[in-house]
Amino acid sequence: MILTVTLNAALDLTYRVPRLTPHATHRVTDVAERPGGKGLNVSRVLAALGHRTVATGFAGGGTGDALRALLTQESEVTDALVPVGGATRRTVAVVDAATGDTTQLNEPGPVVSPAEWHTFLGTYRELLADARAVALCGSLPPGVPVDVYARLTRAARSAGVPVVLDTSGEPLRRGLAARPDLAKPNADELAALTGTTEPQRAAREARRRGAHSVVASLGPDGMLAVTADGAWQAAPPRRIAGNPTGAGDSAVAGLLSGLVEGLSWPERLARAVALSAATVRAAAAGEFDAATYAELLPKVAVTELPGPAPGR
Amino acid sequence: MILTVTLNAALDLTYRVPRLTPHATHRVTDVAERPGGKGLNVSRVLAALGHRTVATGFAGGGTGDALRALLTQESEVTDALVPVGGATRRTVAVVDAATGDTTQLNEPGPVVSPAEWHTFLGTYRELLADARAVALCGSLPPGVPVDVYARLTRAARSAGVPVVLDTSGEPLRRGLAARPDLAKPNADELAALTGTTEPQRAAREARRRGAHSVVASLGPDGMLAVTADGAWQAAPPRRIAGNPTGAGDSAVAGLLSGLVEGLSWPERLARAVALSAATVRAAAAGEFDAATYAELLPKVAVTELPGPAPGR
């Protein structure tokens, strides 16, 4: 199975309003509730692709109960979330029906106690025994040590399980030092990490900081991979309009599934780009439009880039 | 005991953000959860004043469970909410820390089935047997007949229980025709009902439409009462700055408690105005600042207004 870790899972609410006006009162015309958090989105896409997947991390309170109920009702993801005393956070996406724009409000998440953190580490190590790969995804709730992804990466590497790291800021910086197999920042996160806005140079710099491979998402322009075997850029055949929320998580699912299936880098990138684009066409993060995926997959253009010799 | 009815109760969330910017992503710095809905606010204030009070209406889903837990943890209100299959709505108040302004997002509420509605009517009739007064408060969830407040008013009058009606729009218009003892619209609701923006004329018109007495809230200017015994205006000694959410509900609690204690109209109005102002100084609807209440109560100026002879 493929393991995903979401330390700061969320109950995602989407509110549709006729028009968002600051300081006014709005009657919400439509409410949608979904399981949220980057690792849960990755697992939902993996399950839809037919992979066995287990999601761990933390869940608590009434919001945590709602999240878990939705997760198991709506997908084949196995729930291995660890209970916490605090309540799982909510995120609220307010969609302005007049413009289609979204205003996002993200709660900070529950404070995780040292005892809860210790319980999680035990669960994580047990789950690694059956994992063919693990994805470490997203922001941290209060109370979790900032070097958490370095610790989880080292535990996975000791167990011989390949690690994909998808986070940002200090947790990314610390996590890279533990040498994950793959880091998947977007262009902004990569620039913040390296101080370089040129994606290829920034990706090579992120490799020097510890990641064996780096795949950077370039938004509608596709993805860039810099690996020990070479460097590639992959682009969709056309720009896809829609909601980009969750596109990065679908890319992680594409890369992970390609890894465990033994696909080549160009094949993994094509899958990641097609899944990302198909997610932009779907209603929600963690979902993708199957027809768009099938149509785009053979049309993704993957180009090998010149660069330093393999092995650097 | 004093009975309150909240057909569209809510789990009230308050989010503090540094500054609300449409179409941006916001990290919420502080989250507060409270039981919400006008009748529940009235009951919480009544309980804080030392009155026995029972709250009925509908509650369901995880949000309903959270609401009920908060209600009984934080107050002496007796919970007689009727379970429904749908989930209790949330309201989200987004407070902009830079300006202090609030942007409000209100979910519509669960659809109430005919069977659930029937169960509620039975519960309501049973509760009336022990009630000294009843307050019918707020908006209606989908599925509840628009003449609900007329039906509930007639049932209370048959049981000899005085009725206070605090709603707006069509439910107010229909409810008035069943001759509640008191209607408590604010100036805007009264103007929408009667087409008259002059509050005293509008209140007299609302009496003609069926309410035995009308108390209109005039915001920071206090309140106006038009009754069979005369008309009065009551004003706080100074303008009170703060958050007006829930001030109207506290006024209803003041009027209800004064009614069951047999106070005169001027005494009831003074209590309602002082409680309203003390709520503006409190953190949340359903709460009031006890020191402000004690200080203002003897200072509220109540003036008798000339008008048609008593009995009109």
Side-chain angles (χ1 to χ4, degrees):
Chain A
M1 59 83 171
I2 301 175
L3 180 62
T4 66
V5 173
T6 312
L7 296 174
N8 209 5
L11 182 64
D12 281 352
L13 308 179
T14 303
Y15 286 175
R16 187 167 288 273
V17 298
R19 181 180 280 282
L20 181 65
T21 310
H23 316 144
T25 294
H26 303 78
R27 198 168 285 268
V28 175
T29 52
D30 187 71
V31 181
E33 287 189 24
R34 289 196 183 79
K38 292 171 78 69
L40 295 184
N41 292 339
V42 172
S43 272
R44 289 165 68 205
V45 172
L46 286 169
L49 291 171
H51 280 271
R52 279 208 312 124
T53 178
V54 176
T56 189
F58 297 109
T63 44
D65 291 344
L67 162 73
R68 301 177 84 153
L70 289 169
L71 181 66
T72 49
Q73 270 163 34
E74 294 183 359
S75 73
E76 299 293 315
V77 177
T78 301
D79 171 1
L81 292 161
V82 172
V84 281
T88 292
R89 68 192 176 122
R90 284 166 286 236
T91 73
V92 180
V94 185
V95 179
D96 184 321
T99 64
D101 286 320
T102 297
T103 305
Q104 187 75 36
L105 299 157
N106 296 338
E107 295 187 13
V111 176
V112 174
S113 73
E116 289 163 346
W117 166 241
H118 189 80
T119 302
F120 167 78
L121 281 180
T123 301
Y124 175 71
R125 289 208 179 87
E126 281 171 29
L127 291 167
L128 281 176
D130 287 327
R132 298 182 60 194
V134 59
L136 308 175
C137 302
S139 65
L140 307 183
V144 166
V146 71
D147 69 342
V148 49
Y149 287 135
R151 300 192 202 187
L152 300 183
T153 297
R154 283 192 291 269
R157 288 172 55 80
S158 299
V161 179
V163 180
V164 177
L165 179 61
D166 184 10
T167 186
S168 59
E170 193 59 20
L172 172 60
R173 188 183 304 271
R174 303 280 192 107
L176 284 182
R179 303 190 59 72
D181 296 82
L182 173 64
K184 198 221 68 54
N186 63 33
D188 287 347
E189 290 160 354
L190 202 53
L193 176 77
T194 61
T196 310
T197 54
E198 200 287 295
Q200 207 180 141
R201 243 179 46 206
R204 293 188 194 278
E205 170 60 22
R207 280 197 73 214
R208 269 192 290 275
R209 292 180 182 220
H212 286 272
S213 306
V214 174
V215 174
S217 50
L218 309 174
D221 293 333
M223 311 193 99
L224 167 76
V226 179
T227 80
D229 305 318
W232 293 267
Q233 183 148 356
R238 60 180 188 277
R239 292 223 165 198
I240 307 293
N243 175 6
T245 309
D249 306 330
S250 291
V252 171
L255 294 167
L256 268 172
S257 60
L259 168 73
V260 303
E261 292 172 34
L263 301 188
S264 69
W265 272 111
E267 289 168 316
R268 293 185 207 177
L269 285 173
R271 183 180 286 186
V273 166
L275 274 175
S276 262
T279 298
V280 168
R281 294 291 289 273
E287 295 167 16
F288 63 92
D289 184 76
T292 302
Y293 174 54
E295 185 231 319
L296 293 182
L297 184 59
K299 297 186 189 163
V300 175
V302 184
T303 320
E304 185 154 13
L305 301 171
R312 277 261 336 243
Chain B
M1 58 83 173
I2 300 174
L3 180 63
T4 66
V5 173
T6 313
L7 296 174
N8 209 2
L11 182 63
D12 282 352
L13 308 180
T14 303
Y15 285 175
R16 187 168 287 272
V17 298
R19 182 180 280 281
L20 181 64
T21 311
H23 314 145
T25 294
H26 303 77
R27 198 170 284 267
V28 176
T29 53
D30 187 71
V31 182
E33 287 190 24
R34 290 197 183 79
K38 292 171 77 70
L40 295 185
N41 292 340
V42 173
S43 271
R44 289 165 69 206
V45 172
L46 285 170
L49 291 172
H51 279 271
R52 279 207 313 124
T53 179
V54 176
T56 188
F58 297 109
T63 43
D65 291 344
L67 162 73
R68 300 178 84 152
L70 289 169
L71 181 65
T72 50
Q73 270 161 34
E74 295 184 358
S75 73
E76 299 292 315
V77 176
T78 300
D79 171 1
L81 293 161
V82 172
V84 281
T88 292
R89 69 191 175 123
R90 282 167 288 238
T91 73
V92 180
V94 185
V95 179
D96 184 320
T99 64
D101 286 321
T102 297
T103 305
Q104 188 75 36
L105 299 157
N106 296 337
E107 295 187 13
V111 176
V112 173
S113 74
E116 289 163 344
W117 167 240
H118 189 80
T119 302
F120 167 78
L121 281 180
T123 301
Y124 175 71
R125 289 208 181 87
E126 281 170 30
L127 290 168
L128 281 175
D130 287 326
R132 298 184 58 194
V134 59
L136 308 174
C137 302
S139 66
L140 307 183
V144 166
V146 72
D147 69 342
V148 48
Y149 287 135
R151 300 193 203 185
L152 300 184
T153 297
R154 283 193 291 269
R157 288 173 54 81
S158 300
V161 179
V163 180
V164 176
L165 178 61
D166 184 8
T167 185
S168 59
E170 194 60 20
L172 171 61
R173 189 182 304 270
R174 302 281 193 107
L176 284 182
R179 304 191 58 71
D181 295 82
L182 173 64
K184 198 219 68 58
N186 62 33
D188 287 347
E189 290 159 355
L190 203 52
L193 176 77
T194 62
T196 308
T197 54
E198 200 285 298
Q200 206 180 140
R201 244 179 47 205
R204 291 185 197 279
E205 170 61 22
R207 281 197 73 214
R208 268 192 291 272
R209 292 178 183 220
H212 286 273
S213 306
V214 174
V215 174
S217 50
L218 308 174
D221 294 333
M223 312 194 96
L224 168 76
V226 180
T227 80
D229 304 319
W232 293 268
Q233 183 148 357
R238 60 180 188 276
R239 291 221 165 199
I240 306 294
N243 174 5
T245 310
D249 306 330
S250 291
V252 171
L255 295 166
L256 268 173
S257 60
L259 167 72
V260 303
E261 293 172 34
L263 301 188
S264 68
W265 273 111
E267 289 168 317
R268 294 185 207 175
L269 286 174
R271 182 180 285 185
V273 166
L275 275 174
S276 263
T279 299
V280 168
R281 293 291 289 275
E287 296 168 15
F288 63 90
D289 184 76
T292 302
Y293 174 55
E295 185 231 319
L296 293 182
L297 184 57
K299 297 186 188 162
V300 174
V302 185
T303 320
E304 184 152 15
L305 301 171
R312 274 246 2 227

